[in-house]
Amino acid sequence: MTQGWPERLWVVRHGESAGNLARRAAMAAGGTHIETGGRDADVPLSPLGERQSRALGRWFAALPEAERPEVVLTSPYRRARQTVALIQAEGGVVAAPCDILQDERLREKEFGILDRLTRHGIAQHHPDQAEFRRLLGKFYHRPPGGESWCDVILRLRSALDTVSLRHGGARVLIVAHQVVVLCLRYLIENLDEAGIMAIDREGDVANCGVSEYAFDPSRGRDGAPVLLRWNFVAPLEAEGTPVTAEPDAQAGAR
């Protein structure tokens, strides 16, 4: 039987971005809007985010060549692509150029009319949506023009099917965004709403934080991935690189 899961799977949040800094500034000032100067898809890494990405790349590079990622899947958003490029520049992957793939299904959660609003901004400009979210919970609440966590999970089911069909038995690195990292954990570990919301309440996913899974052929009928590390930031700490876990600029309604 062909193995349907990667032999090793790493899921990584991008390095700190300029949007993370903009959100922090807006929250500190008590503002309603987060100013990023353009589309969310175009927000770059901050200088610290570049350092974080390089530190993670050196951690991967320190692994034996036969243990490094050989397939890379990335969100098409600039900050994720930059993270991948810097990991690659430090020798952290052995993937050929044709095995470094952008996948739009890994993009950030879309926030619709709540895009780039702080919690204060949402309460001021869209109090009805703040109430809907309170009643429904973040897992099911879908802002107009945006996505719920369930919507993100739906597209990620398709992305994982592609991973299974094309990259079973391989060593795969996924670089994406905070909600995507959490929703992938929900899918891979077959969690329910209460389970993933409990994990979410523990704290934000760190920039360049690593989730690592290893395939266990003894689990279930066809084998399954087993979580080895969650939100692992030792590669940054080992180099004295500051660890950050700021939500993205759009995450007032995350």
Side-chain angles (χ1 to χ4, degrees):
M1 180 180 294
T2 302
Q3 183 173 315
W5 283 101
E7 185 66 27
R8 189 72 55 146
L9 175 64
W10 299 272
V11 183
V12 170
R13 185 186 177 196
H14 60 78
E16 183 190 70
S17 73
N20 300 147
L21 299 180
R23 181 185 187 280
R24 190 181 306 156
M27 296 293 287
T32 59
H33 290 76
I34 301 165
E35 300 300 334
T36 60
R39 302 186 309 167
D40 185 31
D42 298 327
V43 171
L45 292 178
S46 69
L48 175 55
E50 294 179 1
R51 286 177 57 198
Q52 292 169 336
S53 301
R54 289 190 179 277
L56 183 56
R58 288 190 286 272
W59 178 76
F60 276 118
L63 297 174
E65 184 173 339
E67 296 179 13
R68 295 177 213 159
E70 57 186 333
V71 176
V72 182
L73 304 175
T74 178
S75 161
Y77 283 25
R78 183 179 178 186
R79 55 191 179 273
R81 291 186 290 109
Q82 285 182 309
T83 300
V84 169
L86 292 170
I87 291 172
Q88 183 183 23
E90 296 296 329
V93 300
V94 294
C98 62
D99 290 319
I100 298 178
L101 308 168
Q102 292 185 43
D103 192 324
E104 72 284 348
R105 294 170 295 185
L106 299 174
R107 70 187 184 277
E108 174 64 291
K109 177 182 180 289
E110 296 179 357
F111 293 90
I113 64 170
L114 305 183
D115 186 42
R116 284 176 285 189
L117 291 178
T118 64
R119 290 190 181 277
H120 179 59
I122 293 169
Q124 179 175 322
H125 295 286
H126 299 287
D128 57 333
Q129 292 302 313
E131 178 64 8
F132 288 152
R133 186 178 184 276
R134 185 188 69 81
L135 292 172
L136 294 172
K138 69 165 67 174
F139 193 77
Y140 289 109
H141 176 242
R142 179 191 293 130
E147 295 179 300
S148 68
W149 279 44
C150 288
D151 294 321
V152 176
I153 288 166
L154 182 60
R155 55 175 156 95
L156 291 177
R157 286 191 187 278
S158 169
L160 283 180
D161 283 347
T162 300
V163 170
S164 177
L165 288 169
R166 296 189 57 189
H167 309 302
R171 302 183 304 278
V172 178
L173 168 63
I174 293 175
V175 178
H177 309 269
Q178 176 159 240
V179 173
V180 173
V181 172
L182 287 161
C183 289
L184 284 171
R185 182 166 182 184
Y186 169 91
L187 287 169
I188 294 168
E189 299 177 39
N190 195 28
L191 301 177
D192 58 12
E193 177 191 3
I196 195 60
M197 289 296 100
I199 293 169
D200 179 56
R201 286 192 295 272
E202 291 174 359
D204 292 309
V205 178
N207 295 112
C208 284
V210 178
S211 303
E212 183 175 0
Y213 293 88
F215 179 73
D216 182 350
S218 70
R219 292 178 65 90
R221 185 184 61 185
D222 301 319
V226 175
L227 183 67
L228 301 181
R229 294 184 171 109
W230 165 247
N231 214 8
F232 178 65
V233 294
L236 309 187
E237 294 171 338
E239 296 198 5
T241 304
V243 175
T244 55
E246 189 78 22
D248 283 344
Q250 292 67 29
R254 182 179 71 81

